[in-house]
Amino acid sequence: QYEALAARNLQAAEDWYRARCARLHERAARSQEAVRASRREAGECRRQLQARLVEMESLRGAHQSLERQLQELEERHNAEAAGLQDTIGQLEDDLRNTKNEMARHLREYQDLLNVKMALDIEIAAYRKLLEGEETLFNMGSGGLPSLNSLPSPTYSFQPRSFSSST
């Protein structure tokens, strides 16, 4: 009976040991599969991380390139703006000089016009004097009828002050 009991106990212990080993092997297999899955997931995460790092470096380079282009555009814009300001300044100087020159020409024209008016007045005065002499000459040689035949000139003498710079 002891031997049968010992054989049963031995059989039960071996069954328990085999069942326990089978469960442990099953757990180990599941754990190994979980470790493999974790490693695959970690590898995938590393690949994604590498891809993101490469993408980030690429974007950083693109960002730096765009910053340089922006700075170059700003410098070019500032240079063009300065050139345009210089052009505006030159055009304003030219306009001011042209206005001054036009004002000088206008003053000269006014002076010449005043001289012309004075000469016209002087010519009219001489004409009047000549006509008076002619009238006296005609009166002396022809009498009164010839005096009436001449048209009476109507000149008005208006003295004007003028300054001549020419």
Side-chain angles (χ1 to χ4, degrees):
Q1 281 181 336
Y2 282 120
E3 282 182 16
L5 185 60
R8 269 193 313 235
N9 281 342
L10 183 61
Q11 186 63 32
E14 279 184 24
D15 288 343
W16 177 82
Y17 173 76
R18 282 191 191 119
R20 191 78 166 160
C21 278
R23 278 193 305 244
L24 285 176
H25 283 298
E26 217 177 281
R27 276 188 185 168
R30 273 188 263 141
S31 293
Q32 281 181 346
E33 187 58 38
V35 166
R36 282 188 207 115
S38 294
R39 285 183 182 163
R40 280 193 303 267
E41 190 176 334
E44 182 64 30
C45 286
R46 276 192 212 103
R47 281 191 298 277
Q48 287 179 355
L49 178 63
Q50 273 310 107
R52 296 294 183 254
L53 288 174
V54 168
E55 185 179 350
M56 188 174 74
E57 285 301 315
S58 171
L59 290 174
R60 186 174 289 139
H63 175 71
Q64 289 173 349
S65 172
L66 289 173
E67 285 289 331
R68 268 182 271 136
Q69 286 178 355
L70 179 63
Q71 186 176 5
E72 289 170 2
L73 282 173
E74 285 177 349
E75 289 171 359
R76 196 175 325 134
H77 171 72
N78 290 338
E80 286 177 10
L84 291 174
Q85 285 297 332
D86 290 343
T87 303
I88 288 171
Q90 289 173 353
L91 290 174
E92 285 175 347
D93 288 342
D94 290 346
L95 180 63
R96 195 172 20 262
N97 292 338
T98 303
K99 282 183 179 180
N100 290 337
E101 190 174 332
M102 293 220 13
R104 184 179 55 81
H105 286 303
L106 184 62
R107 281 191 304 275
E108 288 176 1
Y109 175 76
Q110 288 292 335
D111 291 343
L112 289 173
L113 190 63
N114 288 338
V115 168
K116 180 192 174 289
M117 295 288 283
L119 288 173
D120 284 345
I121 291 169
E122 207 172 318
I123 288 170
Y126 283 126
R127 189 172 283 145
K128 193 171 187 181
L129 283 173
L130 281 174
E131 287 173 357
E133 286 289 321
E134 194 175 293
T135 305
L136 284 177
F137 181 73
N138 285 338
M139 273 175 48
S141 67
L144 286 175
S146 64
L147 184 67
N148 290 335
S149 68
L150 289 175
S152 62
T154 56
Y155 296 106
S156 63
F157 179 73
Q158 299 172 348
R160 293 189 181 180
S161 64
F162 63 93
S163 63
S164 175
S165 63
T166 59

